[in-house]
């Protein structure tokens, strides 16, 4: 039984991403990813990509989430700086409105998809390891973004300790 669904795919918009940890060693001794065979559909070669954005999350062929973390930090920094522009002390939003905007727009932008790519920092139970594992660097960068936003919303001076602003507003850091 043959079904005809009349759906046409735009081949120029298709892309293929290969997920493999297999590597080969070149003449200089560097480890390179193993080349994958090309995907050919209707006589056209589908382009190969190393990363792709799907439902707002950036997935790379190594499943390392580094691109997603970088994009999250960029997006959070952009929104935190915009908060500073909107919450000017002489002509901007009131502190209450700025907090509502921060909680309803900036935080969801920063934390979107974090359930998938964020691993809370923790110390391993092994006695010889003292460093934390997990998303330590991402958390440090996101705390910096949050500090920028909190200083903008509370209209604190740049020299004001952020811990003091957090306590004053009864707000806690992400980590």
């Amino acid at each position: 039984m043959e079904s005809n669904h009349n759906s046409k795919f735009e081949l120029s918009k298709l892309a293929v991403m290969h997920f493999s940890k297999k590597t080969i060693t070149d003449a200089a001794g560097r480890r390179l990813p193993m080349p994958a065979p090309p995907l050919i559909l209707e006589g056209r070669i589908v382009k190969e990509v190393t990363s792709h954005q799907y439902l707002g999350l950036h997935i790379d062929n190594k499943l390392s989430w580094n691109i997603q973390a970088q994009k999250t930090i960029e997006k959070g920094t952009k929104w935190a700086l915009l908060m500073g522009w909107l919450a000017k002390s002489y002509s901007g939003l009131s502190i209450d409105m700025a907090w509502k905007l921060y909680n309803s727009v900036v935080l969801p932008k920063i934390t979107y998809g974090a359930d998938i790519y964020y691993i809370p920092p923790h110390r391993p139970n092994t006695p010889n390891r003292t460093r934390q594992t997990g998303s330590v660097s991402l958390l440090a960068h996101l705390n910096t973004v949050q500090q920028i936003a909190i200083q903008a919303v509370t209209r604190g001076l740049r020299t004001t300790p952020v811990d003091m602003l957090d306590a004053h507003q009864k707000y806690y850091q992400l980590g």
Side-chain angles (χ1 to χ4, degrees), residues 19-142:
F19 298 96
S20 176
K21 290 188 176 193
K22 291 183 179 180
T23 58
I24 57 172
T25 307
D26 67 352
R30 295 178 299 212
R31 297 182 73 161
L32 301 173
M34 183 171 278
L39 176 63
I40 301 173
L41 294 175
E42 295 182 5
R44 297 174 73 184
I45 296 176
V46 178
K47 66 180 176 183
E48 183 178 345
V49 295
T50 57
S51 68
H52 182 71
Q53 184 178 0
Y54 182 70
L55 296 177
L57 296 175
H58 294 269
I59 302 168
D60 64 350
N61 60 352
K62 298 175 186 169
L63 293 177
S64 65
W65 301 109
N66 291 336
I67 296 172
Q68 176 63 33
Q70 179 185 7
K71 296 292 183 182
T72 300
I73 293 165
E74 288 174 9
K75 193 183 321 179
T77 304
K78 178 183 101 173
W79 281 97
L81 293 173
L82 285 173
M83 285 296 302
W85 185 75
L86 287 172
K88 293 178 184 174
S89 61
Y90 55 89
S91 64
L93 298 172
S94 67
I95 291 178
D96 291 337
M97 290 302 293
W99 271 115
K100 287 178 183 176
L101 186 64
Y102 175 76
N103 286 324
S104 63
V105 175
V106 178
L107 271 183
K109 290 279 186 186
I110 293 172
T111 59
Y112 177 75
D115 303 353
I116 298 171
Y117 65 88
Y118 178 75
I119 301 168
H122 60 282
R123 296 198 188 281
N125 292 334
T126 57
N128 58 351
R129 295 203 52 196
T130 58
R131 295 180 61 183
Q132 288 186 341
T133 60
S135 303
V136 178
S137 175
L138 176 61
L139 180 63
H141 285 94
L142 289 180

Side-chain angles (χ1 to χ4, degrees), residues 146 150 161-173:
Q146 186 178 17
I150 287 175
V162 177
D163 295 338
M164 179 76 75
L165 295 174
D166 289 343
H168 179 68
Q169 291 295 320
K170 298 177 186 161
Y171 210 80
Y172 304 103
Q173 290 187 350

